[in-house]
Amino acid sequence: MRLRPALALLAVSVAALASACGDGTDLSKGPGYKIGEAPTPPNEDVRDQAPSEALPNPLAGFPRGSQQLAVVCGRGRNDGVSRGLCANPSIGSIVDLQGAVGLRFADRSARGRNGANGNPAFAMLAHSSSLIAHDVSALNPRAIVFTSANGTPQQTPGFVAMGFARGETFVELVAHDRTTNKLTFYLVVFEPSCGEDCTVGDMVTPAVEKGWKSWSLYDDEDLKNTILDCRHCHEPKAGGPRFLRMQELQDPWTHWMRNDRPGGVALFLDFLRAHSDTEDYAGIPAPILQDADGRALEDLVVGNGFDEQPNMFDSRTIENEVRASAPAQPADNTVPGRSRTWEALYERAVRGEVIPPPYHDVKVTDPDKLRFAQDAYADFKAGRIPASAVPDIRKIFLDAALPGMSLRPKEGATGREVLTHMCQQCHHPGLDQSISRARFDVTKLDSMDRATKDRAIARMLLPPSDIGHMPPRIMRAIPPEALARAVEALR
Ligand code: HEC
Ligand code: HEC
């Protein structure tokens, strides 16, 4: 890390933080609902129900456990993940998993450091454009833990990086094989301690990080034609280069939490108001969590040669434009910002050329929903409500931001635009043509045969709870009027 006053800004109590927020919040006032009543989220978001009931298992029918391990390990790779997991170690928590793949926090005390003293490096993201975008906000961030580049953008052969946000029963990994120079993407799917009947609260609190009953390892080959495919983002052109992703690669790393950037501070405050400064998150020890740093991931990404990011999000310019149009940003996002630089990035995603850029504003949260979820979470932490009463703290996005986040189609899009914006990312001619989904290529609507178009219509009209529903529920959803236009465009 470059030297900076670690922890100085935020190592304070939550009460002090609330006043630092300047919003006069007094946490002792209690929740925005009656204790004893199960709080209901103020309104619905990307998913309508709890994850355990809403989404069918995309890997149902796949082998699991040691049988599946033999499949992955039979591919004979020698990177940090295969080396660490092929011996079938006993793994019951995210901390165990970090230990097994060489990402153990050796010093969990306040003296520990981000990427030093034997610790791996780490960064925390409050708005993701990845597979798990719908899970991620300042309240439920995506943590990335990875091999330290020792504070400079240098090559780290054999590196491993792990991505995790609460709410999913999987951990994403990538590993570099120093002999073959190849990147492999892995997914560790775990069976949480709550087993088959998890409440949302079991999934979005520390409980999800431990007590795992079993785990299974998959790699990007296993996943290539599932809705958990890694390649459409990390290797968008089949056979082309594979790369690490970081759209906001440069200072001030807009949606990455950092305790000395205006955006990063605003996000940290939203996080800490609920979680306090005593809670480990994604295996990262609480005493050093506030040392999270997008800069550390920049070092890994750039140091290993991935500085060419498609459709790069120019953090500085976009933040400046947003602030010029809406001066209360980033702390207060009631008035959305505008950025012409961002609009150009967004239009490319709408045209289906690139994966969606992150949203233009620092916060993606609705202030009321955020407050509600923060209060409920703080109540859970204080023992005032049980985990089973914790609402879905991920359903806090600002409705008006959903199209900008590409979780919904662009406002007013034509049927065809809905299809390119919502489908092309996974259905384009650069795909591996041997997989079945290559048959539906959104760039060829004009020459597409009737049967394929009908299959696409049928997929979009399947109930969202059906595994065949398109677009995959884990990624995004199309509201009724836009859906009608998309169907019309295919008829
Ligand atoms: C929809 C696009 C998308 C898909 C699909 C996707 N990723 Fe990513 N991934 C990203 C983006 C974008 C980032 C950068 C951080 C962010 O926005 O969350 C990222 C970051 C990562 C990182 C941190 C290192 C880095 O590249 O910055 C890991 C590890 C990772 N992804 C693993 C996976 C695995 C494993 C899969 C498949 C199971 C997968 N990803 C699928 C878009 C994607
Ligand atoms: C996140 C990636 C992703 C997105 C976005 C996506 N799909 Fe898919 N699609 C898949 C995968 C994976 C499959 C293969 C598995 C399957 O058949 O369910 C698939 C299969 C299909 C198939 C079956 C193709 C065949 O002939 O077997 C159709 C049709 C389809 N998708 C239509 C759509 C439409 C329409 C959209 C947009 C409204 C869309 N998809 C968006 C990942 C995606």
Side-chain angles (χ1 to χ4, degrees):
M1 293 323 82
R2 282 214 177 135
L3 273 187
R4 65 196 167 83
L7 306 186
L9 212 90
L10 293 176
V12 284
S13 75
V14 179
L17 277 175
S19 54
C21 255
D23 61 7
T25 313
D26 176 1
L27 282 182
S28 61
K29 268 207 219 116
Y33 52 86
K34 274 215 198 92
I35 294 176
E37 273 173 17
T40 22
N43 58 52
E44 68 113 44
D45 201 61
V46 174
R47 292 169 170 184
D48 305 316
Q49 299 164 304
S52 44
E53 39 204 67
L55 292 180
N57 175 5
L59 301 178
F62 278 64
R64 298 168 51 184
S66 48
Q67 202 192 345
Q68 170 60 24
L69 195 64
V71 173
V72 174
C73 298
R75 296 186 176 125
R77 295 187 199 94
N78 189 29
D79 57 41
V81 172
S82 279
R83 268 202 321 278
L85 299 185
C86 287
N88 202 356
S90 146
I91 292 175
S93 66
I94 195 154
V95 170
D96 292 347
L97 179 58
Q98 285 165 347
V101 299
L103 297 174
R104 190 174 86 89
F105 284 87
D107 188 345
R108 302 187 70 87
S109 76
R111 288 181 312 278
R113 295 287 309 279
N114 184 345
N117 300 358
N119 284 350
F122 61 94
M124 303 249 293
L125 183 57
H127 163 42
S128 165
S129 37
S130 78
L131 187 59
I132 58 165
H134 63 274
D135 287 315
V136 178
S137 70
L139 201 47
N140 196 61
R142 183 179 195 209
I144 315 278
V145 177
F146 45 98
T147 307
S148 172
N150 291 315
T152 49
Q154 62 175 343
Q155 238 182 324
T156 46
F159 70 80
V160 175
M162 169 187 286
F164 176 73
R166 291 180 185 164
E168 300 296 345
T169 52
F170 59 71
V171 178
E172 294 168 86
L173 290 155
V174 60
H176 175 252
D177 186 323
R178 60 173 85 224
T179 349
T180 61
N181 196 30
K182 284 213 172 96
L183 290 183
T184 303
F185 291 84
Y186 295 95
L187 196 67
V188 169
V189 178
F190 58 85
E191 195 189 344
S193 60
C194 46
E196 293 293 302
D197 31 43
C198 299
T199 63
V200 172
D202 295 321
M203 299 300 298
V204 296
T205 58
V208 72
E209 297 183 9
K210 49 184 191 277
W212 299 351
K213 294 179 173 173
S214 67
W215 58 275
S216 304
L217 179 68
Y218 302 89
D219 67 24
D220 54 80
E221 176 62 22
D222 301 311
L223 302 173
K224 68 181 178 186
N225 200 28
T226 73
I227 59 174
L228 301 178
D229 176 28
C230 313
R231 294 179 183 167
H232 72 86
C233 292
H234 289 284
E235 186 192 323
K237 190 158 175 14
R242 286 187 175 197
F243 52 93
L244 298 186
R245 285 263 183 192
M246 186 176 183
Q247 306 210 63
E248 304 133 290
L249 190 62
Q250 288 157 356
D251 195 353
W253 310 278
T254 298
H255 299 100
W256 296 88
M257 297 158 80
R258 178 162 154 142
N259 69 10
D260 62 359
R261 292 292 181 281
V265 168
L267 296 169
F268 251 133
L269 288 169
D270 283 349
F271 174 81
L272 289 168
R273 190 169 178 282
H275 293 264
S276 82
D277 55 1
T278 56
E279 182 185 327
D280 292 359
Y281 189 92
I284 303 167
I288 57 171
L289 195 82
Q290 291 168 41
D291 217 9
D293 192 356
R295 164 68 201 250
L297 187 60
E298 177 191 341
D299 286 345
L300 181 86
V301 170
V302 172
N304 289 291
F306 307 112
D307 42 338
E308 287 281 319
Q309 292 285 318
N311 214 31
M312 179 114 78
F313 184 104
D314 179 345
S315 293
R316 189 175 304 268
T317 306
I318 293 172
E319 282 192 35
N320 286 342
E321 289 174 358
V322 163
R323 215 162 322 156
S325 65
Q329 295 269 359
D332 178 349
N333 66 333
T334 325
V335 177
R338 288 211 59 177
S339 162
R340 299 175 60 152
T341 306
W342 179 83
E343 276 156 25
L345 303 180
Y346 181 64
E347 284 309 321
R348 290 195 62 200
V350 171
R351 290 197 301 270
E353 296 165 11
V354 286
I355 73 166
Y359 190 56
H360 45 75
D361 294 350
V362 166
K363 295 190 185 185
V364 293
T365 43
D366 176 312
D368 294 332
K369 295 187 214 172
L370 173 67
R371 174 60 52 89
F372 171 86
Q374 284 170 324
D375 286 350
Y377 195 90
D379 277 347
F380 158 73
K381 289 270 301 179
R384 289 190 289 264
I385 59 170
S388 59
V390 173
D392 195 338
I393 62 164
R394 298 165 303 167
K395 292 185 176 179
I396 59 172
F397 293 141
L398 191 63
D399 286 335
L402 295 174
M405 296 163 76
S406 297
L407 297 177
R408 297 277 189 272
K410 183 184 168 174
E411 290 288 350
T414 65
R416 219 172 236 256
E417 282 168 341
V418 170
L419 292 169
T420 49
H421 190 194
M422 296 290 100
C423 319
Q424 191 164 320
Q425 183 176 358
C426 301
H427 290 282
H428 60 79
L431 285 183
D432 172 354
Q433 292 300 304
S434 70
I435 58 179
S436 64
R437 77 170 197 263
R439 291 189 293 229
F440 179 65
D441 176 354
V442 186
T443 65
K444 304 215 168 67
L445 286 182
D446 288 329
S447 56
M448 189 178 283
D449 61 86
R450 193 64 257 155
T452 309
K453 285 184 177 172
D454 286 342
R455 277 204 304 278
I457 294 173
R459 290 298 195 106
M460 290 194 289
L461 296 179
L462 282 174
S465 58
D466 191 301
I467 187 67
H469 176 81
M470 290 288 147
R473 226 24 194 160
I474 191 172
M475 293 285 296
R476 52 181 63 118
I478 307 179
E481 317 79 62
L483 179 62
R485 292 197 295 275
V487 168
E488 200 44 49
L490 287 167
R491 276 209 171 115

